[in-house]
Amino acid sequence: REQGPARARPLFWLLTGLLPWLNAKFAPAVIVFAFGGGCFIWRLVAAGRRSEARAAAWEMPLIAVGPVLLAACNLWMYGTVFGVRRLAEMTRSPARVSMMFLGLHLDQSQGMFLCQPLLLAGVTALVPFVRQRPRVALFCGALYLSLIVPNSMQLARYGLGGPADRFAWSAMWLWIVPLGFALASYKSSVERFVRPAVLVAVLYQVAIAPRWIE
């Protein structure tokens, strides 16, 4: 049963390394994935599965292919490895970063929890998720920050027009992980709340839909 995932690992690392080609802000997420891969190899060694650990160690460097090619392309086209979106596009003010970070969660037009209230169920499931799956929770938390913090650092020179909460799209899906954990672990306790919660969330979104259309 492990043959399939093992065969898919090289493709996973290669595709993960290509994420910055979609947007430079995904570079921190690639670093988090690489760190997670290192932890995975270490656990294989600790479990005595040294042959698998060696195979994984040979495969993981494929994650560097995408960033190296992107840096070379940027250097050739723009004269800098950072490309056209330079570091000057990001604020270094902790106060501004904190304001944007909170806004991506709670702002009335860009806040994920106000636009997608079902995500709050993932927040309520966070504590038991961390207690029972600490390693997975740590990885998901690091991945979440690697996706949301770069958006919090953008100067947003071009305004905030466009689809609501779009700046949080890359990270918000991770709230599904603790939510799925809660539904799987406490199914008998929470099952009766699922349909009412979904209905209330849909009605809420219908009510605020005119704001999205404007």
Side-chain angles (χ1 to χ4, degrees):
R1 285 182 295 179
E2 296 181 359
Q3 290 295 325
R7 291 197 186 102
R9 279 203 306 260
L11 181 60
F12 169 80
W13 290 123
L14 185 62
L15 293 178
T16 300
L18 292 174
L19 284 175
W21 283 84
L22 299 177
N23 196 303
K25 68 182 179 182
F26 292 133
V30 172
I31 296 174
V32 172
F33 275 112
F35 178 77
C39 292
F40 171 70
I41 294 171
W42 177 82
R43 291 191 66 190
L44 289 176
V45 173
R49 299 160 65 179
R50 296 185 181 276
S51 61
E52 294 179 58
R54 282 193 295 270
W58 279 105
E59 296 160 356
M60 204 183 77
L62 287 170
I63 198 173
V65 172
V68 169
L69 291 178
L70 180 60
C73 180
N74 285 336
L75 188 62
W76 173 60
M77 295 182 66
Y78 306 109
T80 171
V81 296
F82 297 109
V84 68
R85 297 296 299 273
R86 301 171 186 263
L87 293 179
E89 293 293 327
M90 306 182 78
T91 182
R92 293 170 177 78
S93 168
R96 185 178 181 124
V97 173
S98 300
M99 178 188 70
M100 292 291 289
F101 181 85
L102 291 174
L104 292 178
H105 294 84
L106 302 172
D107 182 77
Q108 63 178 347
S109 63
Q110 298 294 331
M112 66 175 80
F113 292 142
L114 292 184
C115 295
Q116 307 290 342
L118 277 178
L119 297 177
L120 290 170
V123 178
T124 62
L126 197 56
V127 172
F129 177 59
V130 171
R131 285 178 177 174
Q132 298 187 39
R133 297 289 188 275
R135 293 190 183 93
V136 178
L138 179 62
F139 174 78
C140 289
L143 183 59
Y144 184 81
L145 291 176
S146 74
L147 293 168
I148 203 75
V149 170
N151 278 346
S152 303
M153 297 177 69
Q154 289 192 78
L155 293 175
R157 299 180 189 275
Y158 311 106
L160 296 175
D165 71 4
R166 76 186 190 279
F167 289 101
W169 285 353
S170 60
M172 65 194 305
W173 62 273
L174 280 162
W175 288 111
I176 298 174
V177 178
L179 176 58
F181 164 80
L183 291 175
S185 302
Y186 307 101
K187 183 177 180 180
S188 58
S189 302
V190 302
E191 191 173 21
R192 66 180 182 275
F193 299 109
V194 173
R195 289 185 180 180
V198 171
L199 179 61
V200 169
V202 170
L203 292 176
Y204 167 80
Q205 290 181 315
V206 168
I208 65 173
R211 294 179 60 89
W212 299 343
I213 299 172
E214 289 176 359

